[in-house]
């Protein structure tokens, strides 16, 4: 049986937003989040600068800042499936542990019961 | 609150801080001289003078603080470097193990059930024998 999870998060391209972080199957979330954060700070600084030098050029900076924010939120949203799978793995590990303990319990008690039974039968036969 | 929601809230608060910082500075900035041809702009009222140079420092300090807080939260993400396929593989492994343990449990339960029945039967026979031994004399 093959297990798949289907993600319902539309990709950034589908929403018409430029994707700033590298694509590919395994995204290094922490690295990309941190680099997006730095890029954001840089853009805010540039905005402050351009408002001093050439205030009429603000629109492009605002658009870049907005793109960075959208990328940040999209990246964070795509962490949810990962989190869901991690939670599932954790729950399954706990369940297996519980069941194995129950198994040991049953085996032990059966052994004890068998022993008591044998002892009592031996006692009875002794008469 | 889970870590992803915390991160999302932090992003939103950075956005708010940026908005307030730029907006406040733009709103409260004293007029600037555009060209030597124009006269010097009217002197800024002194009541705001002392505060105004402090505002950008405070606001930018809180903006940077929020960005650092974001980095701290990112560092505390409990993500292993494994990607989706590795996780799915692990889930399949765990499921197989769970099935095996389940079958073993079933077997043990059935065996224990059978032994319970046997013991109950033995008790029944033992009590029957006791009762038969203690049958009172009718005559």
């Amino acid at each position: 049986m093959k297990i798949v999870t289907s993600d319902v998060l539309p990709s950034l391209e589908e929403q018409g937003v430029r994707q700033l972080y590298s694509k590919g199957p395994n995204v290094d979330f922490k690295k990309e989040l941190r680099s997006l954060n730095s890029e954001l700070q840089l853009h805010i600084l540039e905005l402050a600068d351009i408002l001093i030098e050439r205030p009429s050029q603000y629109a492009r900076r605002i658009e870049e800042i907005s793109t960075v924010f959208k990328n940040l939120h999209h990246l964070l949203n795509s962490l949810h499936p990962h989190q869901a799978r991690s939670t599932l793995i954790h729950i399954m590990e706990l369940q297996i542990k519980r069941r194995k303990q129950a198994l040991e319990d049953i085996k032990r008690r059966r052994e004890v019961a068998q022993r008591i039974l044998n002892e009592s039968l031996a006692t009875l036969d002794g008469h | 609150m889970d870590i992803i929601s915390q991160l999302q809230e932090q992003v939103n608060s950075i956005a708010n801080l940026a908005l307030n910082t730029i907006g406040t500075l733009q709103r409260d900035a004293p007029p600037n001289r555009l060209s030597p041809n124009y006269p010097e702009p009217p002197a800024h009222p002194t009541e705001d003078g002392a505060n105004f140079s402090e505002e950008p420092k405070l606001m930018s300090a809180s903006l940077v603080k929020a960005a650092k807080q974001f980095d701290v939260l990112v560092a505390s993400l409990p993500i292993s470097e494994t990607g989706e396929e590795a996780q799915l593989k692990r889930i399949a492994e765990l499921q197989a193990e769970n099935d095996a343990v389940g079958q073993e449990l079933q077997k043990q339960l059935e065996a224990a059930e059978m032994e319970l029945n046997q013991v109950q039967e033995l008790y029944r026979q033992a009590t029957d024998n006791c009762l038969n031994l203690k049958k009172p004399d009718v005559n």
Side-chain angles (χ1 to χ4, degrees), chain A residues 111-125, chain B residues 122:
Chain A
E111 281 168 18
V112 169
Q114 192 73 39
R115 193 163 35 90
I116 295 178
L117 196 60
N118 289 338
E119 281 171 13
S120 42
L121 282 175
T123 319
L124 286 172
D125 281 341
Chain B
L122 282 173

Side-chain angles (χ1 to χ4, degrees), chain A residues 83-126:
Chain A
Q83 187 188 37
R85 282 189 292 262
S86 299
T87 311
L88 181 63
I89 289 176
H90 184 62
I91 291 180
M92 285 176 89
E93 284 171 353
L94 282 180
Q95 186 182 47
I96 288 180
K97 193 166 137 202
R98 266 201 331 261
R99 286 174 132 201
K100 279 185 174 169
Q101 268 174 346
L103 194 60
E104 287 310 305
D105 221 13
I106 292 182
K107 276 187 187 166
R108 202 167 25 91
R109 284 170 194 271
R110 274 184 67 206
E111 281 168 18
V112 169
Q114 192 73 39
R115 193 163 35 90
I116 295 178
L117 196 60
N118 289 338
E119 281 171 13
S120 42
L121 282 175
T123 319
L124 286 172
D125 281 341

